[in-house]
Amino acid sequence: MYKRAGLKGEGLLFLFTDSQVVDERMLVYVNDLLASGEIPDLFAQEDRDEIVNGMRGETKLLGLVDTPENCWATFINKVKANLHVAFTASPVGEAFRVRSQRFLATINSTVIDWFQPWPEVSLLSVARKLLDDVELESEAVRNTVVEFMPFSFAAVNKASKAFFEAERRYNYTTPKTFLELIKLYKNVLNGKCKQTQEAIDRLENGLHKLHKTHSEVDVLVENARTMAIEVEQKVANANVFAEQVGVEKEKVNAENESAKVEADKCAVIAREVSEKQAGCERDLAAAEPLVAQAEAALDTLNKKDLGEAKSLKKPPPGAPQQCSTACCVLRRGCACICTSARP
């Protein structure tokens, strides 16, 4: 900054606010700058020699001897002519009073520009400009909000005067306070709008889910009605089938009764057959010796005996029965022989 103002001759403004003071020692350099235009030990010796060499030509043009002291004085004079320092401070609190007592150059070596309160017309114009990009419901609402800003600021000023008269203490309200008021309003409005939009989105999502659920329930009810009709049809079919099963069951029961009767009859028949089988087995056991005797008697027959029997016009008593018995034993066609042997 010094080199640009002293060596190059550029006009510069050094703006320094009290909010940038992080350490009170910073005001020592500002106080030296305001008091004499020179900050001791700001440049190293090498940088100082470079500045002196750069200012030799201008020093000679001024009719001075280009000694290091004259060159440095020329440099500082150019800095004073081209560098303008603006130090801004708020009167709120004790810091401004204490700093003014410690660093006198901030008061004695400066031209104090006291910022007077803005008129209501200026406050209204600033509020309208800053609130122009805010989305409001209508122009009537916008005008109401814009008019409320200077009104509230004026009301606070009146309350501050009453507070000073009652408590003998200042409550400072500055144009920055007014700007902060508008900024606070915009931040609160944006936050509330965001919360409202989130609530609207949540309600819309809820309504969407309710409508979706309602439509799904309608589909389920319609399906239930269709299924109820199908169930009624199936119940009717089941009743008919049950009636048919009942009829068939009655038939089966009747057939079971008949089968039981037939089973009883079959049991009687089986018992009679068993008895007859036992009797036949006894008769067979008794006839087997006779069959053996008959077979033995047949072994004694020959062709001559058969021819003699055939020539008989009337068989002797008992002969047909014996022939039939022999045929049965030999499993031949006894019917023809017995017939031919009959008179």
Side-chain angles (χ1 to χ4, degrees), residues 248-263:
E248 295 295 331
K249 185 177 180 181
E250 292 178 358
K251 292 181 180 179
V252 170
N253 291 332
E255 291 179 358
N256 286 336
E257 294 295 332
S258 301
K260 289 181 179 179
V261 174
E262 294 295 330

Side-chain angles (χ1 to χ4, degrees), residues 48 126 160 177 210 224:
R48 189 183 180 95
V126 171
S160 298
T177 307
L210 288 175

Side-chain angles (χ1 to χ4, degrees), residues 67-326:
T67 61
E69 290 77 10
N70 292 335
C71 292
W72 185 255
T74 304
F75 173 73
I76 295 300
N77 290 331
K78 287 190 65 177
V79 170
K80 291 179 180 180
N82 295 323
L83 179 60
H84 183 71
V85 180
F87 177 64
T88 62
S90 174
V92 179
E94 299 293 330
F96 179 70
R97 181 177 62 83
V98 173
R99 289 170 180 172
S100 299
Q101 294 175 353
R102 289 181 179 178
F103 309 103
L104 298 179
T106 58
I107 302 297
N108 300 331
S109 301
T110 58
V111 177
I112 299 177
D113 187 5
W114 295 97
F115 289 95
Q116 301 299 324
W118 288 355
E120 187 175 355
V121 177
S122 299
L123 296 175
L124 184 65
S125 177
V126 171
R128 190 178 302 278
K129 179 65 176 178
L130 295 179
L131 294 176
D132 187 59
D133 59 342
V134 178
E135 294 183 2
L136 295 175
E137 183 178 357
S138 62
E139 286 298 325
V141 175
R142 185 186 304 280
N143 293 332
T144 303
V145 174
V146 169
E147 293 174 358
F148 175 76
M149 292 299 173
F151 170 78
S152 63
F153 192 71
V156 172
N157 289 333
K158 293 180 181 179
S160 298
K161 292 180 180 179
F163 178 72
F164 175 75
E165 293 176 357
E167 301 292 337
R168 308 305 298 176
R169 295 176 60 185
Y170 288 100
N171 178 48
Y172 295 98
T173 56
T174 63
K176 184 178 180 181
T177 307
F178 182 72
L179 299 178
E180 291 294 333
L181 171 64
I182 298 177
K183 182 179 179 182
L184 176 63
Y185 171 75
K186 294 173 69 175
N187 292 335
V188 173
L189 180 62
N190 290 333
K192 293 297 182 181
C193 290
K194 184 178 180 181
Q195 292 178 0
T196 304
Q197 187 61 40
E198 290 177 354
I200 292 174
D201 294 339
R202 185 170 64 254
L203 291 176
E204 288 181 351
N205 292 333
L207 289 174
H208 176 70
K209 291 181 180 180
L210 288 175
H211 290 311
K212 183 179 179 181
T213 304
H214 181 69
S215 60
E216 292 178 353
V217 169
D218 291 340
V219 173
L220 293 175
V221 169
E222 188 65 26
N223 294 334
R225 290 176 180 175
T226 305
M227 294 177 67
I229 296 174
E230 294 178 356
V231 169
E232 291 178 357
Q233 184 65 33
K234 291 182 179 181
V235 169
N237 296 334
N239 292 332
V240 174
F241 183 73
E243 292 177 359
Q244 294 177 355
V245 170
V247 174
E248 295 295 331
K249 185 177 180 181
E250 292 178 358
K251 292 181 180 179
V252 170
N253 291 332
E255 291 179 358
N256 286 336
E257 294 295 332
S258 301
K260 289 181 179 179
V261 174
E262 294 295 330
D264 294 338
K265 292 180 180 180
C266 291
V268 173
I269 294 172
R271 186 169 60 253
E272 293 177 354
V273 169
S274 299
E275 293 177 353
K276 289 182 179 181
Q277 182 180 2
C280 292
E281 289 178 354
R282 288 194 299 270
D283 294 339
L284 179 60
E288 284 180 354
L290 297 176
V291 172
Q293 292 178 4
E295 289 178 351
L298 287 175
D299 291 337
T300 60
L301 291 177
N302 52 28
K303 185 175 181 181
K304 181 180 178 181
D305 295 332
L306 293 175
E308 184 179 355
K310 185 176 181 181
S311 64
L312 293 176
K313 293 181 179 181
K314 184 178 180 181
Q321 290 81 3
Q322 293 177 359
C323 290
S324 297
T325 301

